[in-house]
Protein backbone atom coordinates (compact mmCIF):
# COMPACT_ATOMS: atom_id res chain seq x y z
CA UNK A 1 0.00 0.00 0.00
CA UNK A 2 2.82 2.41 0.91
CA UNK A 3 4.55 1.67 -2.41
CA UNK A 4 1.31 2.43 -4.27
CA UNK A 5 0.90 5.79 -2.48
CA UNK A 6 4.55 6.67 -3.17
CA UNK A 7 4.07 5.80 -6.85
CA UNK A 8 1.00 8.08 -7.07
CA UNK A 9 2.89 10.97 -5.44
CA UNK A 10 5.84 10.55 -7.80
CA UNK A 11 3.46 10.37 -10.77
CA UNK A 12 1.77 13.61 -9.73
CA UNK A 13 5.12 15.36 -9.30
CA UNK A 14 6.29 14.11 -12.69
CA UNK A 15 3.04 15.21 -14.34
CA UNK A 16 3.26 18.65 -12.71
CA UNK A 17 6.87 19.08 -13.85
CA UNK A 18 5.99 17.97 -17.38
CA UNK A 19 3.01 20.32 -17.47
CA UNK A 20 5.19 23.17 -16.23
CA UNK A 21 7.87 22.56 -18.83
CA UNK A 22 5.25 22.76 -21.60
CA UNK A 23 3.73 26.08 -20.54
CA UNK A 24 6.48 28.14 -22.15
CA UNK A 25 8.32 27.49 -25.41
CA UNK A 26 11.02 29.64 -26.98
CA UNK A 27 10.13 31.14 -30.33
CA UNK A 28 12.02 32.71 -33.22
CA UNK A 29 11.01 36.13 -34.47
CA UNK A 30 9.48 36.41 -37.92
CA UNK A 31 10.01 39.36 -40.32
CA UNK A 32 6.44 40.47 -39.63
CA UNK A 33 7.30 40.87 -35.93
CA UNK A 34 9.23 44.05 -36.69
CA UNK A 35 5.99 45.99 -36.28
CA UNK A 36 5.23 44.47 -32.87
CA UNK A 37 6.45 45.49 -29.40
CA UNK A 38 9.90 44.27 -30.49
CA UNK A 39 10.48 47.56 -32.27
CA UNK A 40 10.69 49.26 -28.87
CA UNK A 41 13.55 47.02 -27.69
CA UNK A 42 17.24 46.77 -28.53
CA UNK A 43 18.21 43.69 -30.53
CA UNK A 44 19.55 40.77 -28.52
CA UNK A 45 18.30 42.11 -25.19
CA UNK A 46 15.08 40.16 -24.91
CA UNK A 47 13.63 36.67 -25.36
CA UNK A 48 10.42 35.62 -27.07
CA UNK A 49 8.15 32.77 -26.00
CA UNK A 50 4.81 31.19 -26.69
CA UNK A 51 2.56 30.44 -23.73
CA UNK A 52 -0.12 27.78 -23.32
CA UNK A 53 -2.46 30.32 -21.74
CA UNK A 54 -5.37 27.93 -21.16
CA UNK A 55 -3.13 25.49 -19.28
CA UNK A 56 -1.61 28.42 -17.41
CA UNK A 57 -5.06 29.65 -16.32
CA UNK A 58 -6.16 26.18 -15.26
CA UNK A 59 -3.16 25.95 -12.93
CA UNK A 60 -3.84 29.43 -11.55
CA UNK A 61 -7.30 28.20 -10.54
CA UNK A 62 -5.52 26.38 -7.70
CA UNK A 63 -3.88 29.55 -6.35
CA UNK A 64 -5.09 30.32 -2.81
CA UNK A 65 -5.97 33.84 -1.75
CA UNK A 66 -3.04 35.52 -0.05
CA UNK A 67 -5.06 36.83 2.88
CA UNK A 68 -6.64 33.44 3.51
CA UNK A 69 -3.48 31.36 3.21
CA UNK A 70 -1.08 33.37 5.34
CA UNK A 71 1.29 33.53 2.33
CA UNK A 72 1.47 29.75 2.11
CA UNK A 73 0.83 27.97 -1.17
CA UNK A 74 1.72 24.72 -2.89
CA UNK A 75 1.24 26.19 -6.38
CA UNK A 76 4.56 26.65 -8.17
CA UNK A 77 4.74 28.19 -11.66
CA UNK A 78 7.67 28.87 -13.98
CA UNK A 79 8.36 32.22 -15.63
CA UNK A 80 11.13 32.98 -18.16
CA UNK A 81 13.71 35.71 -17.61
CA UNK A 82 15.33 37.93 -20.25
CA UNK A 83 18.05 35.30 -20.82
CA UNK A 84 15.58 32.52 -21.55
CA UNK A 85 16.03 30.72 -18.22
CA UNK A 86 13.03 29.50 -16.26
CA UNK A 87 12.53 30.60 -12.65
CA UNK A 88 10.17 28.98 -10.14
CA UNK A 89 7.72 31.03 -8.10
CA UNK A 90 5.25 30.01 -5.41
CA UNK A 91 2.06 31.82 -6.40
CA UNK A 92 -0.86 33.38 -4.49
CA UNK A 93 -3.88 35.26 -5.76
CA UNK A 94 -3.95 38.91 -4.62
CA UNK A 95 -7.19 40.60 -5.73
CA UNK A 96 -7.01 44.35 -6.33
CA UNK A 97 -10.63 44.83 -7.42
CA UNK A 98 -13.43 45.30 -4.94
CA UNK A 99 -15.66 42.21 -4.52
CA UNK A 100 -18.40 43.89 -6.56
CA UNK A 101 -16.09 44.73 -9.45
CA UNK A 102 -14.48 41.29 -9.26
CA UNK A 103 -17.89 39.69 -9.84
CA UNK A 104 -18.47 41.96 -12.83
CA UNK A 105 -15.05 41.17 -14.31
CA UNK A 106 -14.20 37.54 -13.45
CA UNK A 107 -11.63 37.38 -16.27
CA UNK A 108 -9.37 39.94 -14.54
CA UNK A 109 -7.10 38.30 -11.96
CA UNK A 110 -3.95 39.50 -10.17
CA UNK A 111 -1.29 37.46 -8.41
CA UNK A 112 1.99 37.60 -6.51
CA UNK A 113 4.76 35.02 -6.59
CA UNK A 114 7.88 34.49 -4.47
CA UNK A 115 11.00 33.15 -6.14
CA UNK A 116 12.25 29.73 -5.08
CA UNK A 117 15.49 30.22 -7.01
CA UNK A 118 16.46 33.81 -6.11
CA UNK A 119 15.84 34.80 -2.48
CA UNK A 120 14.03 38.14 -2.33
CA UNK A 121 12.74 37.83 -5.89
CA UNK A 122 9.07 38.69 -6.28
CA UNK A 123 6.77 38.65 -9.28
CA UNK A 124 3.54 40.59 -9.66
CA UNK A 125 1.36 39.64 -12.60
CA UNK A 126 -2.11 39.97 -14.02
CA UNK A 127 -4.16 37.78 -16.34
CA UNK A 128 -6.86 39.57 -18.33
CA UNK A 129 -8.59 39.19 -21.71
CA UNK A 130 -5.52 41.01 -23.08
CA UNK A 131 -3.21 38.25 -21.84
CA UNK A 132 -0.45 38.04 -19.25
CA UNK A 133 1.68 40.90 -17.94
CA UNK A 134 4.35 40.51 -15.28
CA UNK A 135 6.92 42.54 -13.35
CA UNK A 136 9.64 40.72 -11.39
CA UNK A 137 11.81 42.59 -8.90
CA UNK A 138 15.01 41.40 -7.20
CA UNK A 139 17.26 42.55 -4.39
CA UNK A 140 20.39 42.62 -6.54
CA UNK A 141 19.20 42.27 -10.16
CA UNK A 142 17.38 44.50 -12.65
CA UNK A 143 13.60 44.31 -12.91
CA UNK A 144 12.26 41.95 -15.59
CA UNK A 145 9.02 42.39 -17.50
CA UNK A 146 6.92 40.01 -19.58
CA UNK A 147 4.37 41.45 -21.99
CA UNK A 148 2.41 40.32 -25.05
CA UNK A 149 4.42 40.60 -28.26
CA UNK A 150 1.63 42.69 -29.73
CA UNK A 151 -1.78 43.92 -28.67
CA UNK A 152 -4.43 41.24 -29.03
CA UNK A 153 -1.89 38.41 -29.13
CA UNK A 154 -2.38 36.44 -25.90
CA UNK A 155 -0.20 33.47 -26.88
CA UNK A 156 3.19 35.08 -27.68
CA UNK A 157 5.28 37.08 -25.20
CA UNK A 158 8.51 39.01 -24.75
CA UNK A 159 10.69 38.88 -21.64
CA UNK A 160 13.03 41.84 -21.17
CA UNK A 161 14.78 44.15 -18.71
CA UNK A 162 13.87 47.82 -18.42
CA UNK A 163 17.27 48.73 -19.93
CA UNK A 164 16.30 46.89 -23.13
CA UNK A 165 13.73 49.56 -23.97
CA UNK A 166 14.77 52.21 -26.44
CA UNK A 167 14.67 55.72 -25.02
CA UNK A 168 12.25 58.13 -26.58
CA UNK A 169 13.77 61.18 -28.27
CA UNK A 170 10.64 63.23 -27.60
CA UNK A 171 11.30 65.87 -25.00
CA UNK A 172 9.07 65.91 -21.94
CA UNK A 173 6.57 68.74 -21.82
CA UNK A 174 4.68 69.55 -18.65
CA UNK A 175 1.14 70.64 -19.47
CA UNK A 176 0.02 71.28 -15.91
CA UNK A 177 -1.31 74.80 -15.49
CA UNK A 178 0.97 76.84 -13.27
CA UNK A 179 -1.71 78.48 -11.21
CA UNK A 180 -2.28 78.53 -7.48
CA UNK A 181 -5.81 77.66 -6.47
CA UNK A 182 -6.95 78.98 -3.13
CA UNK A 183 -8.82 76.50 -0.96
CA UNK A 184 -11.30 77.92 1.50
CA UNK A 185 -10.87 76.70 5.01
CA UNK A 186 -13.62 74.28 5.95
CA UNK A 187 -14.51 72.08 8.84
CA UNK A 188 -13.20 69.13 6.83
CA UNK A 189 -9.71 70.63 6.77
CA UNK A 190 -9.85 71.21 10.51
CA UNK A 191 -10.65 67.62 11.36
CA UNK A 192 -8.23 65.66 13.45
CA UNK A 193 -6.47 62.97 11.40
CA UNK A 194 -7.18 60.56 14.24
CA UNK A 195 -10.90 61.33 14.63
CA UNK A 196 -11.83 57.59 14.71
CA UNK A 197 -13.97 57.88 11.57
CA UNK A 198 -13.48 55.11 9.02
CA UNK A 199 -13.50 56.48 5.48
CA UNK A 200 -13.47 54.72 2.12
CA UNK A 201 -11.52 56.65 -0.49
CA UNK A 202 -11.06 56.27 -4.24
CA UNK A 203 -7.87 57.21 -6.02
CA UNK A 204 -6.83 57.43 -9.68
CA UNK A 205 -3.13 57.06 -10.44
CA UNK A 206 -1.40 57.95 -13.70
CA UNK A 207 1.65 55.81 -14.36
CA UNK A 208 3.67 54.07 -17.07
CA UNK A 209 2.47 51.04 -19.01
CA UNK A 210 4.65 48.61 -17.05
CA UNK A 211 2.76 49.37 -13.84
CA UNK A 212 -0.80 49.47 -15.14
Amino acid sequence: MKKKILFIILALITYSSFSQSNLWKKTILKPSDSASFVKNLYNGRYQTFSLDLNNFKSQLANAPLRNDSGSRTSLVLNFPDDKGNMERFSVLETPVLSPTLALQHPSIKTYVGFSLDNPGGRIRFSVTPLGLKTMTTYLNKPTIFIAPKEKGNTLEYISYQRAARKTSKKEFECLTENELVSIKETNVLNRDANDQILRTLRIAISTTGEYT
Side-chain angles (χ1 to χ4, degrees):
M1 183 65 180
K2 289 183 178 180
K3 290 184 178 179
K4 186 176 181 180
I5 294 175
L6 180 60
F7 174 78
I8 294 174
I9 293 174
L10 290 174
L12 289 173
I13 293 174
T14 302
Y15 173 78
S16 177
S17 299
F18 177 78
S19 180
Q20 277 289 302
S21 64
N22 283 270
L23 284 177
W24 299 93
K25 291 183 179 178
K26 276 191 175 184
T27 59
I28 299 175
L29 290 177
K30 303 182 291 292
S32 58
D33 292 329
S34 60
S36 68
F37 185 70
V38 173
K39 69 179 183 296
N40 299 318
L41 305 174
Y42 291 110
N43 290 333
R45 301 178 70 173
Y46 56 84
Q47 297 288 332
T48 57
F49 298 86
S50 64
L51 171 64
D52 184 346
L53 188 60
N54 289 333
N55 189 358
F56 185 73
K57 287 181 178 179
S58 68
Q59 296 197 40
L60 284 174
N62 299 319
L65 292 174
R66 186 176 186 183
N67 292 340
D68 296 341
S69 65
S71 298
R72 294 182 181 179
T73 176
S74 59
L75 177 62
V76 176
L77 293 177
N78 294 331
F79 292 86
D81 63 15
D82 62 316
K83 301 294 189 301
N85 302 315
M86 291 294 166
E87 185 173 354
R88 300 172 302 151
F89 291 85
S90 56
V91 174
L92 297 155
E93 184 177 350
T94 54
V96 295
L97 298 180
S98 68
T100 302
L101 278 177
L103 288 175
Q104 296 175 10
H105 305 280
S107 59
I108 298 177
K109 300 284 188 179
T110 49
Y111 304 85
V112 64
F114 301 91
S115 177
L116 300 177
D117 302 317
N118 292 286
R122 179 179 297 188
I123 188 170
R124 296 273 184 177
F125 64 98
S126 62
V127 179
T128 73
L130 298 178
L132 169 72
K133 286 192 175 182
T134 81
M135 180 179 71
T136 309
T137 56
Y138 300 94
L139 298 178
N140 54 0
K141 294 170 55 179
T143 300
I144 294 176
F145 301 94
I146 297 176
K149 190 172 64 176
E150 55 196 351
K151 188 175 181 179
N153 186 343
T154 62
L155 302 179
E156 296 181 285
Y157 294 85
I158 299 178
S159 179
Y160 64 97
Q161 290 185 13
R162 184 190 301 275
R165 295 203 63 168
K166 297 177 181 178
T167 55
S168 175
K169 296 182 180 179
K170 183 179 179 180
E171 294 185 1
F172 173 76
E173 181 183 2
C174 180
L175 301 178
T176 303
E177 295 182 3
N178 189 21
E179 295 181 5
L180 294 177
V181 180
S182 61
I183 302 177
K184 294 182 179 180
E185 187 174 327
T186 64
N187 292 332
V188 175
L189 296 178
N190 290 331
R191 286 178 180 170
D192 188 345
N194 189 24
D195 58 9
Q196 306 302 311
I197 298 176
L198 179 63
R199 299 177 176 85
T200 300
L201 306 176
R202 287 188 175 185
I203 186 171
I205 300 176
S206 176
T207 183
T208 58
E210 289 85 354
Y211 289 92
T212 56

